[in-house]
Amino acid sequence: MPYLILCGIGLIIGLTSIGPSASEGLGTLNTLAFWAAHVAPALALLALTQMVLGRIERFSALPSIVQVVVSAILASLLFAPIALGIDEVLGGEGALDDQGDALVLRLGAELAHFFLPLVLIWSLINAPSLLQLERGARRVARPQDAPADPDPQRADAAEFWSRIPGRLGRQLVALSAELHYIRVFTTQGDTLILFPFGRAVDLLQSQNGMQVHRSHWVALDQIDEVVSGDGRVICRMISGVELPVSRSYRAALKAARRSTV
């Protein structure tokens, strides 16, 4: 999430500096607000679209770059009416040129303006993760002739573990959702994999662990201590990883730790 926020800030500053025609005639502060109103919902919609699609088994089986591009295409279609509304409320002279046209034509023109840039930007934002995934995939040996497992749950588990490099072992410490990816922490290190977080949590129900936040799962036997302060609760793992504990999970975590002592 911090990475996405930084990307958003960079895009807002860049668009404000370049000053495309849609913000023509606006002052500096109004231009900044105009592009912030576009960038924030666009990035949120892109991330949400890919996370939702990632829960679909057939979609999550597609190559990573295909998932990114398809998500960007769908998000662009969904964002078109939002962008049109923002243009009408905050837009400069260039954004009001086609106000007399039919709504369908205006939506089409709006989509044409940002469709390719949005797909390209989302692909570039995901590029570091895609490159890391590609490097990890090259290190993981996968049997090519293994028969398909008739048990979907067991097949999902096999797919999850196959994406984690063997050098990291199988002793999980924690999982952290990063957009539509998962940062997998083991006692030997960490790696980034493309796998739905909710699906991974479901697969690990038999493990000695639990979800402590909408974006984090921890192995109970790898917790060093749970620290409270300033209204926050932090789960500090033996490996040094620190993860926040949501208010709604605190009582369950306390009970789970008590039962494992």
Side-chain angles (χ1 to χ4, degrees):
M1 188 60 71
Y3 171 67
L4 191 62
I5 292 173
L6 287 175
C7 289
I9 292 172
L11 283 170
I12 293 168
I13 294 173
L15 288 167
T16 301
S17 302
I18 296 170
S21 60
S23 58
E24 186 178 346
L26 299 176
T28 302
L29 290 179
N30 287 335
T31 300
L32 191 67
F34 176 78
W35 289 116
H38 278 79
V39 170
L43 290 182
L45 190 56
L46 284 161
L48 180 62
T49 300
Q50 188 151 329
M51 284 191 288
V52 170
L53 290 177
R55 295 179 180 273
I56 301 172
E57 187 173 348
R58 289 187 178 181
F59 182 82
S60 63
L62 295 173
S64 304
I65 185 61
V66 175
Q67 293 185 44
V68 170
V69 172
V70 171
S71 299
I73 292 172
L74 180 57
S76 297
L77 296 172
L78 296 173
F79 183 62
I82 299 174
L84 187 61
I86 295 171
D87 285 353
E88 291 188 356
V89 175
L90 302 175
E93 298 170 3
L96 305 177
D97 290 342
D98 59 355
Q99 272 199 324
D101 295 342
L103 179 60
V104 174
L105 293 177
R106 291 164 61 198
L107 282 171
E110 188 73 29
L111 183 62
H113 285 145
F114 66 75
F115 177 75
L116 287 178
L118 204 61
V119 172
L120 178 60
I121 287 170
W122 189 237
S123 298
L124 290 174
I125 287 175
N126 280 271
S129 297
L130 292 174
L131 289 173
Q132 186 173 345
L133 289 171
E134 179 64 25
R135 287 197 298 269
R138 291 174 181 172
R139 292 194 296 263
V140 179
R142 299 180 182 176
Q144 300 298 319
D145 302 321
D149 195 322
D151 184 344
Q153 185 81 358
R154 197 162 55 194
D156 278 355
E159 180 186 353
F160 171 76
W161 287 110
S162 73
R163 299 189 183 194
I164 301 173
R167 63 182 176 79
L168 295 181
R170 291 294 179 265
Q171 181 62 59
L172 291 176
V173 172
L175 304 180
S176 289
E178 296 184 11
L179 292 179
H180 36 276
Y181 304 98
I182 299 178
R183 176 73 58 182
V184 179
F185 297 93
T186 75
T187 54
Q188 303 301 314
D190 66 270
T191 190
L192 191 69
I193 67 172
L194 184 61
F195 200 87
F197 178 73
R199 192 167 145 208
V201 171
D202 289 342
L203 293 173
L204 296 173
Q205 288 181 2
S206 60
Q207 299 279 329
N208 182 31
M210 64 174 291
Q211 187 172 353
V212 296
H213 185 279
R214 68 177 183 274
S215 301
H216 305 296
W217 177 95
V218 298
L220 294 172
D221 60 353
Q222 293 296 314
I223 297 175
D224 183 22
E225 59 180 340
V226 177
V227 183
S228 303
D230 298 326
R232 300 178 67 220
V233 175
I234 299 296
C235 200
R236 185 172 294 151
M237 312 306 289
I238 296 173
S239 63
V241 175
E242 295 185 355
L243 300 171
V245 181
S246 293
R247 190 179 301 275
S248 57
Y249 289 99
R250 292 173 188 175
L253 176 61
K254 186 175 181 179
R257 293 197 73 206
R258 241 190 340 252
S259 67
T260 57
V261 174

